[in-house]
Amino acid sequence: MKTLMRVFAVVTLVLGGWSGPVVAAAPDSFAPVVEPLMPAVVNVSTTQKIHPQARMMTPMFDFDALPDTPQTRQFKELFRQFAPPGGAVPLPDKEATSLGSGFVIDPAGYVVTNNHVVGEAEEIRVIFPDNTHYEATLIGRDPKTDLALLKIKADKPLPFVAFGDSDLLRVGDWVVAVGNPFGLGGSVSAGIVSARGRNINAGPFDDFIQTDAAINRGNSGGPLFNIRGEVVGINSAIFSPTGGNVGIGFAIPSAMAKNVVEQLKKDGVIHRGWLGVKVQQVSDEIANSLGLGKARGALVLDVGKNSPAVDSGLAAGDVILRFDGREIDEMRKLPRYVAESKIGKKVELGVWRKGKPITLVTKIGELPEDAAVEGGKAAGTGGRKSDNAAPSSRERVLGMQLVPITPQLRAQFQLKSSVRGLIIDDLEGAGEAAKRGLRPGDIILEANQTVVESVEALRAALGAARKSGHDFALLRVARGEDVMFVTVSVK
């Protein structure tokens, strides 16, 4: 009957002259997809010993000050029994356990899960749907992507699943989440891809798949399948005010996970590519100020010393539009593309510089694991006012009272000799600069990629932007130890 109604609906649309896209009906059952996959999805149980620090006991009363009588001697002896010398009371060790999910990716016994599932666990156990238990060894983990790889020893080839290509996923595609919610055992939920490329501030390479397939506590580390039975994501996080599923779950895309898993399997550690730049998102206003047309690319804030970016000729104010043949339509893609690049590889960079496209070549370095993007920070004034500046040197532009950097101010604020620009001494509360978030103590280093060491130079740069038909000008600003770009209206 359901099939007849579905056919009737399609015929009605056709006969009625429907010219829109044909929508595929939901599958009658996910069982044909799920049944062959379930044996490879496992529960991951971990145990970690917690060693509490000894608790210090401070007596509320000095028993030694009591008179020496038979009764008080009993109190003193009782206190000494429960308060060791030094006042430290040792606390017993505790065991913390956690449950998560994982999946076998190789018949030799390699299991993928989340880093936060295994954490600092001392014992890891993998449990299959048929209740077979294996002790697991941690091969390696990667906190930056929240992935970990385990290895179990079995006397037979194990059931496994394969990675698919998450880059082919479309919003609205069917997906199936399998895992161990709340420790109940293997469970299946179905939904659609709600969004792509989500940034939830979980790490430097956020590119999550969002789904409304039910994901709960314990699902972490479990696979997200497409309807062809391929792993397109690793369930990792949920958004929930209650702690339970509200239809907003996040999975690490397989396109990112495959590279990490392969490296962990080979070396047990992750080697990432490194360019050595700090970048900022290109807004519509920034694009307008640079004559870029639409907002795209990654705006270079700073270039690290002794980095591959320095050798390539990249400079602050450049916009990286293309990396190794791949378009950078938004800033967050660049760190991922660089990290996935082979160390030592020469790549081309498509760059927008001062209104023109240019091509640069760089050799990818290796990212130090204990450092993010390094170097290139300019020293700011920390919000202090320039008391040594002569009143006549203070001029206002866009609601900013500006002071050139004099030798006295450089010494007062301990500015490096390389720092050149104008100090914001004061702001009008309703002025353009204040509306854009600028503060007293900030240093304007450049305007439209031109160094400004005088108010006249700043006014000339703003006027040039206006004559070029731009509505906004781009200011490069130092604040404390940070550097940023800020747009201001020149209309």
Side-chain angles (χ1 to χ4, degrees), residues 109-166:
Y110 288 97
V111 177
V112 176
T113 187
N114 279 144
N115 173 66
H116 77 259
V117 169
V118 296
E120 301 292 339
E122 297 176 19
E123 297 178 3
I124 306 173
R125 178 171 292 185
V126 171
I127 308 168
F128 281 77
D130 62 2
N131 209 34
T132 303
H133 292 56
Y134 294 96
E135 297 297 325
T137 301
L138 178 64
I139 299 299
R141 58 195 186 99
D142 180 34
K144 286 185 172 64
T145 57
D146 194 23
L147 290 169
L149 184 66
L150 312 176
K151 179 71 165 62
I152 57 178
K153 292 182 179 180
D155 55 4
K156 60 181 180 180
L158 296 170
F160 68 99
V161 291
F163 280 120
D165 189 353
S166 59

Side-chain angles (χ1 to χ4, degrees), residues 282-362:
V282 177
S283 65
D284 290 335
E285 293 181 357
I286 291 175
N288 176 281
S289 70
L290 297 174
L292 190 57
K294 66 177 183 178
R296 56 199 172 101
L299 176 61
V300 177
L301 277 171
D302 230 343
V303 179
K305 295 179 180 178
N306 304 316
S307 67
V310 168
D311 296 335
S312 72
L314 272 172
D318 288 344
V319 180
I320 302 174
L321 301 176
R322 192 174 62 258
F323 177 86
D324 198 19
R326 293 188 282 186
E327 298 297 321
I328 308 297
D329 52 6
E330 58 179 23
M331 179 267 290
R332 289 188 297 110
K333 288 189 176 181
L334 181 65
R336 174 185 160 189
Y337 290 165
V338 173
E340 293 174 350
S341 298
K342 185 177 180 180
I343 297 167
K345 180 182 180 182
K346 288 188 176 181
V347 301
E348 285 191 353
L349 303 174
V351 174
W352 184 262
R353 174 178 291 176
K354 295 186 177 180
K356 296 179 181 180
I358 63 173
T359 300
L360 302 175
V361 178
T362 188

Side-chain angles (χ1 to χ4, degrees), residues 360-380:
L360 302 175
V361 178
T362 188
K363 185 177 181 181
I364 299 299
E366 181 173 359
L367 174 69
E369 282 301 309
D370 59 347
V373 180
E374 298 178 5
K377 291 183 179 179

